Amino acid sequence: MFDPSKLPQMLQQAQQMAQKLQAEMAQKTAEGQAGGGMVSATVNGQGELVKLKIDPKALEFKDITMLEDLVTAAVNQAHARVREIMGAEMQKLTGGLPPGLF
């Protein structure tokens, strides 16, 4: 049962957990792919694009719009995976805290 008198302590604990998670996530990466792997993007836990790989076969089509779409899709997929990882890590860290605190 939730005890309101413990809220300040819980908030401090939540802040410490969030800082710990940010530090851990900075070290993690996630990859997204598009076009059957012709384009792959890697982002870190801070949402920064750290690697982009384009298969030379993707350039054979000479369709810049398609290549732009593949890059966008790969980066978006990598970002989605980072959010999934962060959510799972946050769930592990906050298992005992009330929902909605974050």
Side-chain angles (χ1 to χ4, degrees), residues 31-52:
E31 183 178 301
Q33 295 186 349
M38 284 196 291
V39 175
S40 66
T42 304
V43 298
N44 66 18
Q46 295 175 322
E48 299 169 330
L49 180 64
V50 294
K51 185 177 180 182
L52 180 66

Side-chain angles (χ1 to χ4, degrees), residues 5-58:
S5 68
K6 294 185 180 181
L7 187 59
Q9 178 186 3
M10 292 171 69
L11 290 173
Q12 183 179 14
Q13 187 180 22
Q15 184 179 20
Q16 291 171 347
M17 287 180 185
Q19 289 172 345
K20 179 181 175 185
L21 179 61
Q22 285 178 338
E24 288 176 3
M25 287 301 297
Q27 303 301 314
K28 295 184 184 231
T29 60
E31 183 178 301
Q33 295 186 349
M38 284 196 291
V39 175
S40 66
T42 304
V43 298
N44 66 18
Q46 295 175 322
E48 299 169 330
L49 180 64
V50 294
K51 185 177 180 182
L52 180 66
K53 183 178 176 189
I54 300 173
D55 188 320
K57 292 177 186 176

Side-chain angles (χ1 to χ4, degrees), residues 48-95:
E48 299 169 330
L49 180 64
V50 294
K51 185 177 180 182
L52 180 66
K53 183 178 176 189
I54 300 173
D55 188 320
K57 292 177 186 176
L59 302 174
E60 292 174 4
F61 298 111
K62 298 186 185 341
D63 184 352
I64 296 300
T65 303
M66 181 192 76
L67 182 57
E68 291 170 344
D69 290 344
L70 291 175
V71 169
T72 301
V75 171
N76 286 339
Q77 186 180 74
H79 278 289
R81 288 193 174 148
V82 163
R83 286 190 299 272
E84 288 173 10
I85 293 168
M86 185 172 257
E89 292 296 319
M90 184 66 82
Q91 182 64 32
K92 282 194 272 186
L93 285 175
T94 62

